[in-house]
């Protein structure tokens, strides 16, 4: 990464938000309503509270290791192998997110453009991944500019729905709703997928201005902003559409149903409004996929530079724009593997990403606990890493339970790639 350009705090926050506020909040809308009804928004509050000890742990680790990331946390506090597993699991898991975001964006585009609908979806997925690979070969400053453009595009449908939904709010949907809090645990893998990305600053920390302070600030600010928007979005959508939300076919039906409440069924503008919003959703998914590729590649560079990958220094070499082009190609190939194995299926890709990241979070919490044991003077309370460990254990259990219900074959790509990584480490 170029040493001549440093990410400002606002840009680092935008990168985190671009990764967090992707397709997750939109594709979860109906799924959460089917599982938890009105309590779908409570699921976001639950994950927000559950993740807070982990957020604080990651922030403290960034203060202890301002120029490091997941590898540094594990390698310096535990062992190089733990650092490798933590980073490799996160690296391949985030590319599962890239895969689903790319695929969902193509499905929206195919609805909007007849010429795209006539093309093979997987081929279009490959074209988009190829385009993003080429864009990410450019320098850091170009990437930072694109973050601003993408964030503006993706916040448009989210904020407009929240604002207009306030005036359409129907109190009866709250009064007559069924409240079954036992459904909340089943929603955790889905809402966890929606908040993944708060830790993107870990892989970019060495390139953030005043990293000692700004890396942890980027994590906290982006996380709280995203959780707040998620709660408002899910609450308002259910408040407008009500229990009918659970009867819709899939996430592509949310905005048509919302606009029917807003304008009625006979407005001539309906197809255009739906088209505009679906275009915004497609851009939201594309921007999140781009942001992941933009930041995630540096995790592989870290492993390569620490000689945990055969030919590491050769693989980590930079092009004229100071971008590790071979690592960029490698992560594109891994995203394609995820797509090929799952055929773009939403739930397996979501749970795979959540499971992989939960492993990394767990090892990071262990790292902070170990640091506190070895250096009691560290200014963090013992309860923070202990509560983070409990949160991670719950998240892992929830992911495994979901995998048990949908079929263990969903783990195929993750298990294969994890095994390959371990083989490279011991090569």
């Amino acid at each position: 990464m170029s040493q001549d350009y440093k990410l400002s705090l606002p840009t680092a926050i935008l990168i985190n938000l671009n990764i967090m506020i992707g397709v997750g909040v939109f594709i979860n809308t109906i799924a959460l309503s089917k599982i938890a009804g009105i309590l779908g928004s409570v699921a976001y509050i639950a994950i927000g509270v559950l993740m807070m000890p982990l957020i604080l742990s990651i922030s403290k680790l960034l203060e202890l290791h301002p120029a490091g990331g997941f590898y540094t946390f594990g390698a310096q506090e535990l062992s190089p192998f733990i650092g490798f597993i933590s980073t490799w699991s996160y690296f391949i898991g985030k590319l599962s997110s890239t895969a689903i975001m790319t695929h969902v964006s193509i499905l929206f585009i195919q609805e909007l453009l007849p010429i795209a609908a006539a093309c093979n979806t997987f081929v279009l997925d490959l074209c988009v991944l190829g385009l993003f690979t080429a864009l990410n070969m450019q320098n850091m400053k170009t990437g930072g500019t694109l973050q601003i453009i993408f964030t503006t595009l993706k916040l448009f449908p989210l904020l407009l729905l929240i604002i207009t939904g306030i005036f359409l709010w129907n109190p009866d949907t709250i009064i007559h709703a069924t409240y079954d809090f036992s459904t909340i645990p089943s929603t955790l893998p889905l809402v966890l997928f929606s908040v993944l990305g708060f830790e993107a600053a870990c892989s970019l920390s060495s390139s953030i201005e005043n990293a000692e302070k700004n890396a942890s600030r980027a994590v906290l600010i982006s996380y709280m902003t995203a959780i707040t928007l998620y709660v408002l979005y899910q609450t308002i959508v259910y408040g407008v559409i009500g229990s009918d939300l659970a009867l819709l076919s899939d996430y592509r039906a949310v905005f048509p149903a919302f606009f029917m409440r807003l304008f009625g069924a006979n407005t001539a503008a309906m197809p255009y409004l739906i088209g505009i919003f679906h275009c915004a959703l497609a851009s939201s998914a594309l921007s999140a996929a781009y942001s992941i590729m933009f930041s995630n590649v540096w995790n592989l560079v870290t492993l390569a530079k620490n000689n945990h990958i055969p030919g590491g220094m050769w693989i980590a070499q930079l092009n004229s724009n100071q971008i590790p082009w071979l690592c960029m190609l490698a992560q594109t190939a891994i995203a394609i593997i995820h797509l090929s194995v799952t055929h773009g299926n939403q739930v397996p890709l979501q749970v795979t990403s959540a499971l992989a990241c939960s492993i990394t979070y767990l090892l990071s919490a262990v790292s902070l606990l170990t640091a506190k044991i070895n250096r009691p003077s560290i200014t963090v309370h013992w309860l923070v890493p202990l509560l983070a460990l409990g949160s991670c254990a719950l998240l892992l259990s929830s992911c495994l339970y979901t995998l048990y219900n949908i079929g263990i074959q969903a783990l195929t790509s993750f298990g294969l790639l994890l095994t390959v990584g371990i083989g490279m480490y011991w090569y």
Side-chain angles (χ1 to χ4, degrees):
M1 183 178 295
S2 174
Q3 300 301 314
D4 298 326
Y5 181 81
K6 290 287 185 178
L7 290 170
S8 65
L9 176 60
T11 300
I13 292 172
L14 287 175
I15 292 174
N16 279 15
L17 286 175
N18 256 330
I19 295 174
M20 291 181 70
I21 306 178
V23 295
V25 64
F26 298 114
I27 66 179
N28 280 346
T29 308
I30 295 176
L32 290 178
S33 296
K34 290 181 182 294
I35 298 172
I38 184 63
L39 297 179
S41 58
V42 176
Y44 285 112
I45 297 175
I47 204 71
V49 173
L50 189 64
M51 294 283 285
M52 186 52 66
L54 179 62
I55 303 296
L56 296 175
S57 295
I58 296 294
S59 297
K60 176 54 66 174
L61 284 167
L62 283 170
E63 290 179 11
L64 297 175
H65 307 284
F70 291 125
Y71 177 79
T72 303
F73 303 161
Q76 292 197 10
E77 303 297 347
L78 296 167
S79 72
F81 180 68
I82 296 299
F84 173 85
I85 290 296
S86 179
T87 307
W88 179 253
S89 178
Y90 180 82
F91 174 72
I92 59 179
K94 292 304 292 182
L95 292 172
S96 180
S97 297
T98 296
I100 187 174
M101 291 172 186
T102 301
H103 189 72
V104 167
S105 69
I106 292 301
L107 293 179
F108 275 120
I109 291 172
Q110 286 182 316
E111 284 198 349
L112 293 169
L113 301 175
I115 189 172
C119 299
N120 181 277
T121 304
F122 184 71
V123 172
L124 293 178
D125 289 338
L126 296 181
C127 291
V128 170
L129 289 172
L131 174 62
F132 281 175
T133 301
L135 288 174
N136 273 298
M137 293 293 186
Q138 304 305 307
N139 62 36
M140 195 73 176
K141 193 168 186 177
T142 301
T145 302
L146 287 176
Q147 303 304 323
I148 298 173
I149 297 173
F150 281 150
T151 303
T152 302
L153 288 172
K154 74 165 44 179
L155 288 179
F156 167 70
L158 190 62
L159 294 178
L160 186 59
L161 185 145
I162 290 173
I163 293 170
T164 56
I166 293 174
F167 300 98
L168 297 174
W169 181 269
N170 182 2
D172 289 339
T173 61
I174 307 299
I175 296 172
H176 301 296
T178 300
Y179 294 82
D180 183 2
F181 286 90
S182 66
T183 61
I184 298 299
S186 299
T187 66
L188 292 182
L190 297 179
V191 294
L192 174 60
F193 175 81
S194 298
V195 301
L196 298 178
F198 71 87
E199 71 298 317
C202 294
S203 57
L204 292 171
S205 58
S206 62
S207 296
I208 297 176
E209 292 176 351
N210 193 14
E212 293 81 1
K213 294 182 178 179
N214 286 342
S216 59
R217 288 176 180 173
V219 170
L220 290 170
I221 294 173
S222 59
Y223 177 75
M224 296 306 298
T225 300
I227 290 294
T228 301
L229 290 174
Y230 291 165
V231 172
L232 288 173
Y233 169 82
Q234 188 72 26
T235 301
I236 289 176
V237 170
Y238 194 94
V240 172
I241 301 177
S243 58
D244 291 343
L245 189 62
L247 303 177
L248 300 179
S249 56
D250 63 26
Y251 50 86
R252 288 171 287 183
V254 173
F255 282 98
F258 186 87
F259 285 133
M260 285 186 66
R261 298 291 199 282
L262 183 60
F263 298 110
N266 299 320
T267 177
M270 182 70 73
Y272 302 102
L273 290 171
I274 294 173
I276 291 172
F277 271 73
H278 281 184
C279 183
L281 290 177
S283 69
S284 173
L286 289 172
S287 66
Y290 175 87
S291 295
I292 292 172
M293 296 181 71
F294 181 71
S295 63
N296 194 43
V297 68
W298 300 101
N299 287 305
L300 185 58
V301 172
T302 297
L303 297 181
K305 287 186 174 181
N306 283 277
N307 296 316
H308 297 319
I309 296 175
M313 297 309 296
W314 176 71
I315 292 174
Q317 62 181 312
L318 307 179
N319 64 10
S320 58
N321 291 315
Q322 302 301 301
I323 298 298
W325 64 280
L326 286 171
C327 290
M328 192 67 67
L329 293 176
Q331 74 167 355
T332 302
I334 292 173
I336 293 172
I337 290 173
H338 284 306
L339 279 172
S340 301
V341 171
T342 63
H343 305 288
N345 193 309
Q346 173 189 340
V347 176
L349 285 170
Q350 281 184 277
V351 179
T352 297
S353 181
L355 176 64
C357 292
S358 294
I359 293 172
T360 301
Y361 300 156
L362 177 67
L363 295 176
S364 297
V366 173
S367 297
L368 181 60
L369 181 60
T370 303
K372 180 63 176 178
I373 293 172
N374 293 333
R375 305 192 295 280
S377 60
I378 292 175
T379 57
V380 63
H381 197 280
W382 290 95
L383 278 177
V384 172
L386 288 174
L387 289 174
L389 283 173
S391 297
C392 292
L394 181 58
L395 293 173
L396 281 171
S397 299
S398 180
C399 290
L400 292 173
Y401 176 76
T402 303
L403 285 171
Y404 174 78
N405 288 328
I406 66 175
I408 200 67
Q409 65 270 19
L411 272 176
T412 302
S413 59
F414 175 70
L416 173 64
L417 291 166
L418 186 62
T419 301
V420 169
I422 294 174
M424 287 190 303
Y425 180 87
W426 294 111
Y427 177 75

